[in-house]
Coordinates of all heavy atoms in Angstrom, one line a residue:
S50 N -68.7 -111.2 -277.3 CA -67.5 -111.5 -276.6 C -67.7 -112.6 -275.5 O -68.2 -112.3 -274.5 CB -66.9 -110.2 -275.9 OG -65.7 -110.5 -275.3
V51 N -67.4 -113.8 -276.0 CA -67.8 -114.9 -275.2 C -67.1 -114.9 -273.8 O -65.9 -114.6 -273.7 CB -67.5 -116.2 -275.9 CG1 -67.3 -117.4 -275.0 CG2 -68.7 -116.5 -276.9
K52 N -67.9 -115.2 -272.8 CA -67.3 -115.4 -271.5 C -67.3 -116.9 -271.2 O -68.1 -117.7 -271.7 CB -68.1 -114.6 -270.5 CG -68.0 -113.1 -270.6 CD -68.4 -112.4 -269.4 CE -69.8 -111.8 -269.3 NZ -70.3 -111.0 -270.4
E53 N -66.5 -117.2 -270.2 CA -66.3 -118.6 -269.8 C -67.7 -119.2 -269.3 O -68.1 -120.3 -269.7 CB -65.4 -118.6 -268.6 CG -65.1 -120.0 -267.9 CD -63.9 -120.7 -268.4 OE1 -62.9 -120.0 -268.6 OE2 -64.0 -121.9 -268.6
S54 N -68.5 -118.3 -268.7 CA -69.8 -118.8 -268.2 C -70.8 -119.1 -269.3 O -71.9 -119.7 -269.0 CB -70.4 -117.7 -267.2 OG -70.6 -116.5 -267.9
E55 N -70.5 -118.7 -270.5 CA -71.5 -118.8 -271.6 C -71.3 -120.2 -272.3 O -72.0 -120.4 -273.3 CB -71.4 -117.6 -272.5 CG -72.0 -116.4 -271.9 CD -71.7 -115.1 -272.6 OE1 -70.5 -115.0 -273.1 OE2 -72.6 -114.3 -272.7
K56 N -70.4 -121.0 -271.8 CA -70.3 -122.3 -272.4 C -71.6 -123.1 -272.0 O -72.2 -122.8 -271.0 CB -69.0 -123.0 -271.9 CG -69.1 -123.4 -270.5 CD -67.8 -124.1 -270.1 CE -67.9 -124.6 -268.6 NZ -66.7 -124.8 -267.9
G57 N -71.9 -124.1 -272.8 CA -73.0 -125.0 -272.4 C -73.8 -125.5 -273.6 O -73.3 -125.5 -274.7
L58 N -75.0 -126.0 -273.2 CA -75.9 -126.7 -274.2 C -76.9 -125.7 -274.7 O -77.6 -125.1 -273.9 CB -76.5 -127.9 -273.4 CG -76.9 -129.2 -274.1 CD1 -75.7 -129.7 -274.9 CD2 -77.4 -130.2 -273.1
Y59 N -77.0 -125.6 -276.0 CA -78.0 -124.6 -276.6 C -78.9 -125.4 -277.5 O -78.5 -126.4 -278.2 CB -77.2 -123.6 -277.4 CG -76.5 -122.6 -276.5 CD1 -75.2 -122.9 -276.0 CD2 -77.0 -121.3 -276.2 CE1 -74.6 -121.9 -275.2 CE2 -76.4 -120.4 -275.4 CZ -75.1 -120.7 -274.9 OH -74.5 -119.8 -274.2
W60 N -80.1 -125.0 -277.6 CA -81.1 -125.4 -278.6 C -82.1 -124.4 -278.8 O -82.2 -123.4 -278.2 CB -81.7 -126.8 -278.2 CG -82.7 -126.7 -277.0 CD1 -84.0 -126.6 -277.0 CD2 -82.3 -126.9 -275.7 NE1 -84.5 -126.6 -275.8 CE2 -83.5 -126.8 -274.9 CE3 -81.1 -127.0 -275.0 CZ2 -83.5 -126.9 -273.5 CZ3 -81.1 -127.1 -273.6 CH2 -82.3 -127.0 -272.9
C61 N -83.0 -124.6 -280.0 CA -83.9 -123.6 -280.3 C -85.2 -124.2 -280.8 O -85.4 -125.4 -281.0 CB -83.3 -122.6 -281.4 SG -83.1 -123.6 -283.0
Q62 N -86.2 -123.4 -281.0 CA -87.6 -123.8 -281.4 C -88.3 -122.7 -282.1 O -88.1 -121.5 -281.7 CB -88.4 -124.2 -280.1 CG -89.7 -124.9 -280.5 CD -90.4 -125.4 -279.2 OE1 -90.3 -124.7 -278.1 NE2 -91.1 -126.4 -279.2
G63 N -88.9 -123.0 -283.2 CA -89.6 -122.0 -283.9 C -91.1 -121.9 -283.3 O -91.7 -122.8 -282.9
I64 N -91.6 -120.6 -283.3 CA -92.9 -120.3 -282.8 C -93.7 -119.6 -283.9 O -93.2 -118.7 -284.5 CB -92.8 -119.4 -281.5 CG1 -91.9 -120.1 -280.4 CG2 -94.2 -119.2 -280.9 CD1 -92.5 -121.4 -279.8
S65 N -95.0 -120.1 -284.0 CA -95.9 -119.5 -285.1 C -97.2 -119.0 -284.5 O -97.6 -119.5 -283.5 CB -96.0 -120.5 -286.2 OG -97.0 -120.1 -287.1
N66 N -97.9 -118.1 -285.2 CA -99.2 -117.7 -284.7 C -100.3 -118.6 -285.2 O -101.3 -118.7 -284.6 CB -99.5 -116.3 -285.3 CG -98.6 -115.3 -284.6 OD1 -98.1 -115.5 -283.5 ND2 -98.4 -114.1 -285.2
S67 N -100.0 -119.3 -286.3 CA -101.0 -120.3 -286.8 C -100.5 -121.7 -286.5 O -99.3 -121.9 -286.0 CB -101.1 -120.2 -288.3 OG -99.8 -120.2 -288.9
R68 N -101.4 -122.6 -286.7 CA -101.0 -124.0 -286.3 C -100.1 -124.6 -287.3 O -100.3 -124.3 -288.6 CB -102.3 -124.8 -286.2 CG -103.1 -124.5 -285.1 CD -104.3 -125.5 -285.0 NE -104.0 -126.8 -284.9 CZ -104.3 -127.8 -285.7 NH1 -105.1 -127.5 -286.8 NH2 -104.0 -129.0 -285.6
P69 N -99.2 -125.4 -287.1 CA -98.8 -125.8 -285.7 C -98.1 -124.5 -285.1 O -97.4 -123.8 -285.8 CB -97.7 -126.9 -285.9 CG -97.2 -126.7 -287.3 CD -98.3 -126.1 -288.1
T70 N -98.4 -124.4 -283.9 CA -97.8 -123.1 -283.2 C -96.4 -123.2 -282.8 O -95.7 -122.3 -282.5 CB -98.7 -122.9 -282.0 OG1 -98.6 -124.0 -281.1 CG2 -100.1 -122.5 -282.3
S71 N -95.9 -124.5 -282.9 CA -94.4 -124.6 -282.6 C -93.8 -125.7 -283.4 O -94.5 -126.7 -283.7 CB -94.2 -124.8 -281.1 OG -94.7 -126.0 -280.7
S72 N -92.5 -125.5 -283.7 CA -91.8 -126.6 -284.4 C -91.3 -127.6 -283.3 O -91.5 -127.3 -282.1 CB -90.6 -126.1 -285.1 OG -89.6 -125.6 -284.1
S73 N -90.8 -128.6 -283.7 CA -90.1 -129.5 -282.7 C -88.9 -128.8 -282.1 O -88.3 -127.9 -282.8 CB -89.8 -130.9 -283.3 OG -88.8 -130.7 -284.3
I74 N -88.4 -129.3 -281.1 CA -87.2 -128.8 -280.4 C -86.0 -129.2 -281.3 O -85.9 -130.3 -281.8 CB -87.0 -129.3 -279.0 CG1 -88.1 -128.6 -278.1 CG2 -85.7 -129.0 -278.5 CD1 -88.2 -129.1 -276.7
S75 N -85.1 -128.2 -281.5 CA -84.0 -128.5 -282.4 C -83.0 -129.4 -281.7 O -83.1 -129.8 -280.6 CB -83.2 -127.2 -282.7 OG -82.5 -126.8 -281.6
N76 N -82.0 -129.9 -282.5 CA -80.9 -130.6 -282.0 C -80.2 -129.7 -280.9 O -80.3 -128.5 -281.0 CB -79.9 -131.0 -283.0 CG -79.4 -129.9 -283.8 OD1 -80.1 -128.9 -284.2 ND2 -78.1 -129.8 -283.9
Q77 N -79.5 -130.3 -280.1 CA -78.7 -129.5 -279.1 C -77.3 -129.4 -279.5 O -76.7 -130.3 -280.0 CB -78.8 -130.3 -277.7 CG -80.3 -130.3 -277.2 CD -80.4 -130.9 -275.8 OE1 -79.5 -131.8 -275.5 NE2 -81.4 -130.5 -275.1
V78 N -76.8 -128.2 -279.3 CA -75.4 -127.9 -279.7 C -74.6 -127.5 -278.4 O -75.1 -126.7 -277.6 CB -75.3 -126.7 -280.7 CG1 -73.9 -126.2 -280.8 CG2 -75.9 -127.1 -282.0
T79 N -73.5 -128.1 -278.2 CA -72.7 -127.8 -277.0 C -71.6 -126.8 -277.4 O -70.8 -127.0 -278.3 CB -72.0 -129.0 -276.5 OG1 -72.9 -130.0 -276.1 CG2 -71.1 -128.7 -275.2

Side-chain angles (χ1 to χ4, degrees):
S50 182
V51 154
K52 291 200 265 306
E53 177 96 41
S54 60
E55 284 166 323
K56 72 179 182 204
L58 212 51
Y59 289 80
W60 66 96
C61 65
Q62 190 176 33
I64 304 293
S65 169
N66 292 334
S67 53
R68 294 183 55 239
T70 56
S71 66
S72 71
S73 66
I74 287 169
S75 75
N76 60 311
Q77 296 185 329
V78 169
T79 302

